């Protein structure tokens, strides 16, 4: 769900480089420029809301100061949907992962303007967050909305949703926890369904091979509304961990 249109300039953050992992990354690194408002929000908010690879494995109860339902969104783009979800569910906690600084700054601005206390942010590759920062079985829900579809067949191997990635996510979810995927590319939806249908330890909440209606708690993005006006479909997949 990352915005691919804005240029980016470097700003110092706790982690550099954004990834330590080889293989399929959770992002495509693009240049971009933070607006003045995003820069100021970043400067004011990162120390409080930012999380670092250097922190190692976190204890979510210490991070948020309570024991609550914990959500992870991978690739939150410009952050509005994540802020909407966090504002609508103050009893839940949310961790967002995004490598593009304009998006991080934009979410910090949303957090500040809305007075949100239940959001924390990583500005590194989601693979590092999964492998180095999150304890097993700590998450209640993982959301991957509109990841880069890599539409050319020769690039399909670069798609984030692959069997190995899904199994690493599985170990971070509690039994019964939800993996929610969404895409507006039909071929990627079919690929996701194939991967998830074969994934050990997951069951389709809607039945074998079935897509899900959009859950009420997944906000409709501007990007999605624009796609709907153009006649583009959107496919949601909701699976839960069985063991």
């Amino acid at each position: 769900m990352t915005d691919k249109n804005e240029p980016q300039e470097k700003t110092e953050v706790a982690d550099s480089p954004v990834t330590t992992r080889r293989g399929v990354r959770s992002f495509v690194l693009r240049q971009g420029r933070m607006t003045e408002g995003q820069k100021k929000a970043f400067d004011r908010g990162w120390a409080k809301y930012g999380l670092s690879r250097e922190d190692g494995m976190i204890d979510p109860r210490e991070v948020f100061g309570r024991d609550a339902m914990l959500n992870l969104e991978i690739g939150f783009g410009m952050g509005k949907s994540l802020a909407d979800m966090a504002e609508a569910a103050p009893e839940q906690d949310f961790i967002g992962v995004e490598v593009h600084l304009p998006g991080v700054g934009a979410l910090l601005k949303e957090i500040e303007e809305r007075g949100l206390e239940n959001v924390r942010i990583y500005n590194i590759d989601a693979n590092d967050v999964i492998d180095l920062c999150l304890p097993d079985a700590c998450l209640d829900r993982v959301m991957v909305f509109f990841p880069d579809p890599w539409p050319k067949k020769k690039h399909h191997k670069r798609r984030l949703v692959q069997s190995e990635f899904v199994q690493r996510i599985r170990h971070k979810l509690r039994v019964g926890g939800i993996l929610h995927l969404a895409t507006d590319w039909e071929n990627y939806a079919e690929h996701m369904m194939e991967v998830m249908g074969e994934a050990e330890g997951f069951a389709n909440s809607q039945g074998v091979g079935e897509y899900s209606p959009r859950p009420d708690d997944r906000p409709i993005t501007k990007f999605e509304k624009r796609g709907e006006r153009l006649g583009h479909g959107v496919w949601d997949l909701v699976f839960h961990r069985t063991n």
Side-chain angles (χ1 to χ4, degrees):
M1 206 165 67
T2 299
D3 186 355
K4 303 173 179 62
N5 298 319
E6 290 195 59
Q8 178 182 8
E9 77 179 17
K10 290 185 177 181
T11 298
E12 291 299 321
V13 293
D15 293 304
S16 181
V18 293
T19 182
T20 62
R21 182 182 176 84
R22 295 183 178 182
V24 178
R25 298 184 302 182
S26 69
F27 63 95
V28 181
L29 192 59
R30 299 177 178 86
Q31 292 188 342
R33 179 175 295 117
M34 297 175 78
T35 67
E36 192 62 31
Q38 291 165 359
K39 289 179 186 177
K40 289 179 178 178
F42 185 96
D43 291 341
R44 289 191 296 263
W46 180 256
K48 179 176 181 180
Y49 298 104
L51 295 172
S52 168
R53 186 191 298 115
E54 302 306 314
D55 296 332
M57 288 286 177
I58 65 169
D59 180 343
R61 293 168 298 183
E62 291 184 1
V63 170
F64 291 98
R66 63 178 181 177
D67 189 2
M69 178 176 172
L70 184 59
N71 303 272
L72 174 71
E73 183 176 4
I74 294 173
F76 59 73
M78 299 308 287
K80 185 178 183 302
S81 293
L82 179 53
D84 287 344
M85 289 188 290
E87 186 174 36
E91 75 283 0
Q92 301 179 25
D93 293 327
F94 294 80
I95 295 175
V97 182
E98 180 57 62
V99 297
H100 301 286
L101 281 172
V104 174
L107 178 55
L108 286 166
K109 193 168 184 290
E110 294 278 357
I111 289 171
E112 184 177 66
E113 291 174 352
R114 303 184 195 213
L116 302 177
E117 296 293 336
N118 58 337
V119 181
R120 298 294 184 273
I121 302 170
Y122 280 104
N123 179 225
I124 54 176
D125 183 1
N127 288 296
D128 284 353
V129 175
I130 294 165
D131 294 340
L132 305 175
C133 303
L134 297 177
D136 287 349
C138 72
L139 298 171
D140 294 279
R141 180 171 55 167
V142 176
M143 299 167 286
V144 185
F145 298 153
F146 308 102
D148 195 318
W150 291 104
K152 293 182 179 179
K153 188 172 182 179
K154 66 180 180 179
H155 294 153
H156 285 184
K157 62 185 178 181
R158 300 183 185 181
R159 288 173 167 175
L160 178 62
V161 179
Q162 307 283 0
S163 297
E164 185 265 350
F165 173 79
V166 166
Q167 287 305 311
R168 286 166 46 236
I169 289 289
R170 172 189 166 208
H171 292 297
K172 302 306 172 180
L173 283 167
R174 63 170 177 80
V175 173
I178 296 295
L179 174 55
H180 182 181
L181 310 173
T183 181
D184 64 334
W185 283 79
E186 186 172 10
N187 176 264
Y188 200 3
E190 293 169 349
H191 169 86
M192 289 175 171
M193 185 64 75
E194 181 179 356
V195 169
M196 293 306 303
E198 297 174 354
E200 179 185 353
F202 280 100
N204 190 330
S205 298
Q206 299 297 312
V208 176
E210 296 294 325
Y211 296 101
S212 173
R214 181 184 62 84
D216 291 339
D217 56 2
R218 179 176 74 74
I220 300 177
T221 67
K222 289 182 180 179
F223 170 80
E224 186 175 352
K225 289 178 181 177
R226 182 177 62 201
E228 287 179 348
R229 289 196 300 269
L230 295 172
H232 298 172
V234 173
W235 291 266
D236 285 84
L237 296 82
V238 179
F239 282 72
H240 62 271
R241 180 183 175 183
T242 59
N243 61 62

